[in-house]
Amino acid sequence: MTGSPDKAVMALIGVGLAVWVIYRIYVWLQSSPRSFLQDHIPLNEEITPHPAVSLLENAGYEVVGGKLKIPLSFNIDGAPLYSRLFVDYVAAAEDGTQYLVVLARPRRPLEWTGSGVRDMLLPYLLIYPGVGGLLYVNAPAATVNVITFGRDDGEND
């Protein structure tokens, strides 16, 4: 039985090394700019009650996350600028597809034109390209609009 303690020590070192390598790969993937681990929508467990929640549920969606603050930073000629986008809720359809939810604001009405929707809502769809779309909820009008993103192939001119 000589050598058994040596084999046990080598096995422990091997297991420790494997755990360390897996952890370092995970950290590297998290810091990668286009990491698939960062493309998922973070969920805020705290869901604030609002009439929009029942509108979404009546439309067949389940609210799975509350308000999100998405920090943004820009570097312009070496000077940093900061801003943020807010998502009011995250909802899921019956098939599991997730949607970002933005509530209509009286002070910032959405202009229902291609350029109006682009200017106001496109940043949300670009930040999380894996979402099924965006749900624009106007609680006073009791409407839920489903907005999905697609590219124009130039044949619609």
Side-chain angles (χ1 to χ4, degrees):
M1 278 254 44
T2 61
S4 289
D6 292 339
K7 289 181 182 177
V9 169
M10 291 304 289
L12 283 175
I13 291 173
V15 168
L17 185 61
V19 168
W20 181 80
V21 166
I22 291 171
Y23 172 75
R24 293 306 305 163
I25 290 171
Y26 175 79
V27 168
W28 176 72
L29 287 174
Q30 286 283 31
S31 65
S32 173
R34 290 300 307 156
S35 169
F36 67 90
L37 294 173
Q38 290 183 352
D39 286 344
H40 74 285
I41 304 171
L43 294 178
N44 178 0
E45 303 285 329
E46 185 180 327
I47 299 171
T48 309
H50 190 276
V53 174
S54 60
L55 283 173
L56 289 164
E57 290 171 350
N58 292 339
Y61 298 96
E62 177 188 0
V63 176
V64 295
K67 184 177 276 296
L68 296 175
K69 180 171 76 170
I70 304 164
L72 302 172
S73 66
F74 305 93
N75 190 335
I76 301 175
D77 295 329
L81 292 177
Y82 302 98
S83 186
R84 61 202 156 281
L85 285 174
F86 292 96
V87 174
D88 294 300
Y89 296 101
V90 176
E94 290 180 7
D95 65 359
T97 304
Q98 289 188 331
Y99 293 86
L100 302 176
V101 178
V102 175
L103 301 180
R105 304 274 191 266
R107 289 184 163 188
R108 192 170 179 217
L110 175 61
E111 184 180 323
W112 288 102
T113 63
S115 59
V117 171
R118 176 201 64 213
D119 292 346
M120 189 163 169
L121 302 178
L122 183 62
Y124 295 100
L125 298 172
L126 293 176
I127 287 177
Y128 296 112
V131 299
L134 190 133
L135 302 174
Y136 186 79
V137 180
N138 188 337
T143 60
V144 176
N145 299 100
V146 181
I147 301 165
T148 57
F149 178 57
R151 288 180 35 153
D152 182 8
D153 58 8
E155 294 184 18
N156 295 331
D157 292 333

